[in-house]
């Protein structure tokens, strides 16, 4: 240990009754879980609202298109801005929470490689489906399938089936969107991702107070 | 059941906070000394005294690594420490289960 003792420390539990101990244990555990959470419930809930607002706004502009031409020029910067902001906030909060933490909580290089590859595979898959004439190839929900499955695999390997639920729900949203049509898939993506994020936020909050 | 059954190593406010904070991490994960200090809000000297006591009892392990000119001390709860906290928590629950509505422990009544 590096620092040199500079102050004396209390050593006895005298005057520390069981009720005080239980309250301190409960408070410390909740506080530590909250501060060390890589994805805190407030961030997940904020992302849920933001994704619903961003994708819902695009759905409102494309739902009346006959034929469907896709998001307008004004929608694209909003979408890109949302993705960048979402990514930056998620990474920033995670890094802050993980300061000084080492071990299994952090992603291993192999896991980061799998997740990065899954995102890199998205345009390739969409192009291949489009070339094959698949109707839902360019739907926004199609983007979710491969990263959702990759997330399920990575988290499932870490925490078992419970860990894979979020990823599978994201992939399922992608599959459902394939049946919703080009405009409807924006709504499916927004509602589906919002529901997944809110569910995750509730699960993390429950875990923190368990 | 009496207070005496509570593990005296853990039944000290500062050490209870240390052990509970480390237990919030998954088994095997480590926390740097500075982050632990930040989470608990202790002076380095005060923290190190309690860490030494916990380490002597094999409740925690500490490891010092050198990264260039900077040395980093990491701390982890051992399986033994996790089990001790679990036992402490169960004992605490047992004691509180025997409390009256006014918050007075049963054994207090027995003494008087």
């Amino acid at each position: 240990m590096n620092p040199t003792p500079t102050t004396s420390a209390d050593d006895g539990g005298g005057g520390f009754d069981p009720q005080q101990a239980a309250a301190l244990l409960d408070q410390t555990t909740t506080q530590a879980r909250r501060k060390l959470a890589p994805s805190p419930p407030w961030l997940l809930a904020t992302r849920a609202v933001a994704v619903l607002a961003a994708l819902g706004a695009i759905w409102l502009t494309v739902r009346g298109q006959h034929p469907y031409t896709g998001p307008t020029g004004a929608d694209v910067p909003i979408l890109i801005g949302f993705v960048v902001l979402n990514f930056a906030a998620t990474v920033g909060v995670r890094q802050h929470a993980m300061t000084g933490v080492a071990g299994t909580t952090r992603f291993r290089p192999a896991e980061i490689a799998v997740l990065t590859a899954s995102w890199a595979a998205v345009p390739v898959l969409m192009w291949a489906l489009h070339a094959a004439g698949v109707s839902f190839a360019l739907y926004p929900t199609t983007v979710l399938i491969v990263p959702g499955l990759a997330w399920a695999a990575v988290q499932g390997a870490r925490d078992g089936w419970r860990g894979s639920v979020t990823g599978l729900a994201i992939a399922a949203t992608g599959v459902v969107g394939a049946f919703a049509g080009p405009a409807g898939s924006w709504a499916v993506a927004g509602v589906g991702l919002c529901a997944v994020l809110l569910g995750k936020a509730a699960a993390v909050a429950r875990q923190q107070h368990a | 059941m009496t207070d005496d059954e509570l593990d005296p190593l853990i039944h000290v406010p500062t050490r209870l906070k240390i052990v509970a904070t480390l237990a919030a991490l998954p088994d095997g994960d480590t926390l740097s000394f500075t982050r632990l200090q930040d989470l608990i809000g202790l002076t380095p000297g005060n923290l190190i005294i309690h860490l030494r006591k916990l380490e002597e009892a094999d409740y925690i392990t500490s490891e010092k690594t050198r990264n260039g000119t900077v040395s980093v001390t990491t701390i982890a709860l051992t399986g033994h420490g996790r089990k001790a906290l679990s036992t402490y928590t169960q004992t605490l629950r047992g004691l509180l289960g025997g409390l009256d509505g006014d918050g007075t422990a049963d054994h207090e009544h027995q003494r008087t």
Side-chain angles (χ1 to χ4, degrees), chain A residues 9-41:
Chain A
D10 60 316
D11 197 48
F16 187 42
D17 69 47
Q19 274 192 322
Q20 286 176 313
L24 184 66
L25 178 60
D26 190 42
Q27 184 195 348
T28 308
T29 303
T30 306
Q31 200 173 41
R33 283 178 180 164
R34 205 173 58 235
K35 288 186 175 175
L36 295 169
S39 297

Side-chain angles (χ1 to χ4, degrees), chain A residues 13-120:
Chain A
F16 187 42
D17 69 47
Q19 274 192 322
Q20 286 176 313
L24 184 66
L25 178 60
D26 190 42
Q27 184 195 348
T28 308
T29 303
T30 306
Q31 200 173 41
R33 283 178 180 164
R34 205 173 58 235
K35 288 186 175 175
L36 295 169
S39 297
W42 66 264
L43 178 67
L44 291 163
T46 306
R47 288 170 64 199
V49 173
V51 77
L52 186 64
L55 299 183
I58 293 176
W59 173 70
L60 288 173
T61 63
V62 299
R63 66 180 174 153
Q65 291 178 356
H66 301 289
Y68 175 78
T69 54
T72 61
D75 291 333
V76 175
I78 293 173
L79 191 61
I80 292 171
F82 165 72
V83 171
V84 170
L85 206 67
N86 184 32
F87 183 77
T90 305
V91 171
V93 170
R94 187 180 178 88
Q95 277 187 338
H96 179 70
M98 293 289 93
T99 302
V101 178
T104 56
T105 310
R106 285 185 175 276
F107 284 119
R108 288 184 284 266
E111 291 171 329
I112 294 170
V114 168
L115 295 173
T116 307
S118 73
W119 280 107

